[in-house]
């Protein structure tokens, strides 16, 4: 690779540690080998074939045209609709309203960032006090986040009828509200 050669030219040696012959096929800081490149391309093709198979089996209308639409191209909404890649065009708010209108319970996740920061301001304190406040603040946030996730699971499991699975990025500390 150009980066590898540039590093070598500047006298910088790179070191890649791996456990297994095929663990690091292409290293951005190492030389590109024909074997590593070929094996990586083969894996990419296998994943793409698996993706096409999954899409075609999940959306049978695409079985005959999957090779023409699964090219990596980007489709505008109207094109996607014409190609049967989507069922209809609508905003996420309209989609959620449709779900609620059809009797499906929808949970709203409300992220917060540092909701406890007002309890432990970090300015004007000594370093040990800052470290202590940081530890307490993050411990409480973690506790509340875990409690919030447990409450979400309880609410979701106790709501009658179909529901939408909850997904929350780690560390956002969501709260659940039943609408």
């Amino acid at each position: 690779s150009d980066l590898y050669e540039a590093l070598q030219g500047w006298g910088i040696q790179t070191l890649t540690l791996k456990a297994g012959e095929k663990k690091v096929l292409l290293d951005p800081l190492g030389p590109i080998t024909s074997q590593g490149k070929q094996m990586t391309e083969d894996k990419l093709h296998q994943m793409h074939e698996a993706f096409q198979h999954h899409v075609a089996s999940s959306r049978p209308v695409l079985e005959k045209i999957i090779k023409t639409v699964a090219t990596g191209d980007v489709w505008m909404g109207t094109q996607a609709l014409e190609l049967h890649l989507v069922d209809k065009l609508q905003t996420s708010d309209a989609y959620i309203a449709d779900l609620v209108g059809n009797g499906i319970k929808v949970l709203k996740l409300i992220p917060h960032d540092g909701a406890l920061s007002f309890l432990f301001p970090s300015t004007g304190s000594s370093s040990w006090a800052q470290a202590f406040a940081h530890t307490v603040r993050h411990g409480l946030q973690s506790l509340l986040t875990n409690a919030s996730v447990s409450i979400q699971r309880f609410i979701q499991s106790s709501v009658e009828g179909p529901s939408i699975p909850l997904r929350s990025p780690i560390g956002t500390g969501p709260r659940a509200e039943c609408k």
Side-chain angles (χ1 to χ4, degrees):
S1 76
D2 293 332
L3 179 58
Y4 174 74
E5 292 168 8
L7 292 172
Q8 294 295 309
W10 294 328
I12 299 172
Q13 292 183 330
T14 61
L15 174 65
T16 301
L17 302 175
K18 59 184 179 176
E21 180 183 332
K22 298 177 184 176
K23 197 67 163 186
V24 180
L25 297 174
L26 291 179
D27 180 356
L29 298 178
I32 295 175
T33 65
S34 59
Q35 178 190 15
K37 183 179 174 188
Q38 185 62 52
M39 291 177 75
T40 301
E41 285 177 349
D42 291 346
K43 290 292 179 194
L44 286 172
H45 289 298
Q46 289 173 8
M47 286 187 278
H48 188 64
E49 289 292 324
F51 168 75
Q52 290 178 49
H53 175 73
H54 173 73
V55 170
S57 64
S58 299
R59 196 174 269 277
V61 69
L62 296 177
E63 285 179 352
K64 294 180 180 176
I65 65 164
I66 191 68
K67 297 286 185 191
T68 59
V69 296
T71 60
D73 200 354
V74 176
W75 306 99
M76 300 301 290
T78 53
Q79 293 171 315
L81 188 60
E82 290 168 5
L83 294 168
H84 306 288
L85 298 174
V86 296
D87 295 324
K88 65 180 177 177
L89 301 179
Q90 67 184 122
T91 65
S92 57
D93 288 340
Y95 175 74
I96 292 169
D98 285 350
L99 292 175
V100 172
N102 289 324
I104 296 176
K105 305 291 185 198
V106 177
L107 298 178
K108 180 178 182 181
L109 297 180
I110 304 171
H112 65 81
D113 58 32
L116 298 176
S117 59
F118 69 93
L119 293 175
F120 304 101
S122 60
T123 56
S125 304
S126 65
S127 61
W128 74 266
Q130 286 178 343
F132 176 75
H134 175 79
T135 301
V136 170
R137 179 174 49 248
H138 287 285
L140 287 172
Q141 285 177 334
S142 176
L143 178 68
L144 290 175
T145 297
N146 290 337
S148 177
V149 169
S150 295
I151 291 168
Q152 290 172 10
R153 288 185 180 134
F154 172 76
I155 291 171
Q156 185 177 17
S157 67
S158 61
V159 171
E160 293 180 15
S163 63
I164 297 174
L166 293 172
R167 294 179 191 240
S168 171
I170 295 173
T172 59
R175 294 181 299 158
E177 290 182 4
C178 204
K179 291 280 180 182

